[in-house]
Amino acid sequence: MPAPVPTIEPVAVTGGVPHTPAPPPSPRPVRPSSIVEGVQVAGPAAQRLLRGPRGLGTTGARPQPTMTAANPVGNPIPGLYYHPVPEPDPLRVAEVDRRIKAWAIDEIDLYPAEWEEQFDGFFVGRYMVACHPDAPTIDHLMVAARLMVAENAVDDCYCEDHGGSPVGLGGRLLLAHTALDPVHTAAEYQPAWAQSLRSDAPRRAYRSAMTYFLDQASPSQADRYRHDMARLHMGYLAEAAWAQTEYVPEVWEYLAMRQFNNFRPCPTITDTIGGYELPADLHAQPAVQRIIALAGNATTLVNDLYSYTKELASPGKHLNLPVVIAEREGMPEREAYLKAIDIHNDLMHAFEAEVASLTAAHALPNLLRFLRGVAMWVDGNHYWHQTNTYRYSLPDFW
């Protein structure tokens, strides 16, 4: 049994740092994470931890040294607060892309041939390598890649682009969730449930991705992921209910929904993908939970902002933060979009302030590494959105 891990007291929340809207971003030095500069991390052990592991075989797990980020394809949103990241290792990117496509086509028959261009245009390898630069092996990156692709398949096929509908979504999501959280039922009915997991592409994807995840994750990490996926599915259902009733939520209601229908399952597994574990007692601390929530909320608003023109061009009415602000607060589209940028920036500053506060107060190595991993995921997520010009383009507001 591992030695007992000391617990931490919740860090007082003061509302984050005051926010001044950022000017249009320009290339700036890349940091190992989004942790606020100028904060003194307690103790030399913590400083060593933030610099990353040392020794044979650990090169891929260390943050890159300070450098000026290369200019990637695509323009960042003017005024959006973000941190550039180094270009992902092209060899790792190519190998993840090769393996994820083989998995999707050969192992689980995820999509028909006519969807191949869209699958390639997701750029899974670039996404995962940018978000998990400390992953020790390609196998670890593939765990995150399969889960991401499976989540996207459920979203597309059950909720949105490829036959999705709010009608009957609850039943479909519940049955898909059993691929992550197995059913324990009467023996007579167990075979029918097992057969159902092979009945459609999203369930096959969930089942296969979860099987690979369980090979790397501890029972505690697996349970954490199931919990966060239940949160995600609840957010899907809230948005679906609003679509069915044609209800445009208040801005605060929309932001509450986005705390559940968001990217949280991705950064919360950063320790599994990094090849270590943040113990459950530490992960459950209110200060850590607030940091994870802020990371999920900020990164999801990045998606709202970059996918804005894509969603406006799609059939039907798509809720995103600028659309909700425009309708509920009576703003022109441009002003609503700019206000959404400010809201994102406020959340990012709050995230960084909370990380800095907790980092300065507690020099527990696995906690510091986890916080650094979440911050790197936040930065990598922005990089992927900025550079994915196949999916996203900016509105003509500047």
Side-chain angles (χ1 to χ4, degrees), residues 178-202:
T178 68
L180 311 174
D181 199 349
V183 169
H184 303 276
T185 189
E188 179 182 353
Y189 299 103
Q190 196 80 19
W193 165 72
Q195 176 63 30
S196 78
L197 300 183
R198 298 185 287 274
S199 64
D200 68 0

Side-chain angles (χ1 to χ4, degrees), residues 77-163:
I77 294 172
L80 193 75
Y81 181 70
Y82 77 101
H83 302 295
V85 301
E87 287 295 297
D89 180 344
L91 296 179
R92 281 192 158 199
V93 169
E95 181 61 12
V96 172
D97 280 337
R98 184 189 70 79
R99 292 195 197 183
I100 197 64
K101 197 165 184 178
W103 173 75
I105 295 174
D106 300 332
E107 282 195 48
I108 64 169
D109 189 23
L110 179 60
Y111 60 86
E114 58 267 27
W115 295 1
E116 182 174 7
E117 181 183 345
Q118 294 177 50
F119 185 87
D120 292 342
F122 200 84
F123 296 107
V124 178
R126 184 195 297 169
Y127 202 168
M128 295 300 96
V129 178
C131 286
H132 297 287
D134 65 338
T137 69
I138 299 292
D139 287 339
H140 286 81
L141 286 168
M142 284 302 302
V143 168
R146 293 186 197 93
L147 292 174
M148 168 65 79
V149 169
E151 291 163 24
N152 195 60
V154 168
D155 190 21
D156 278 353
C157 297
Y158 284 7
C159 306
E160 295 197 13
D161 298 340
H162 293 297

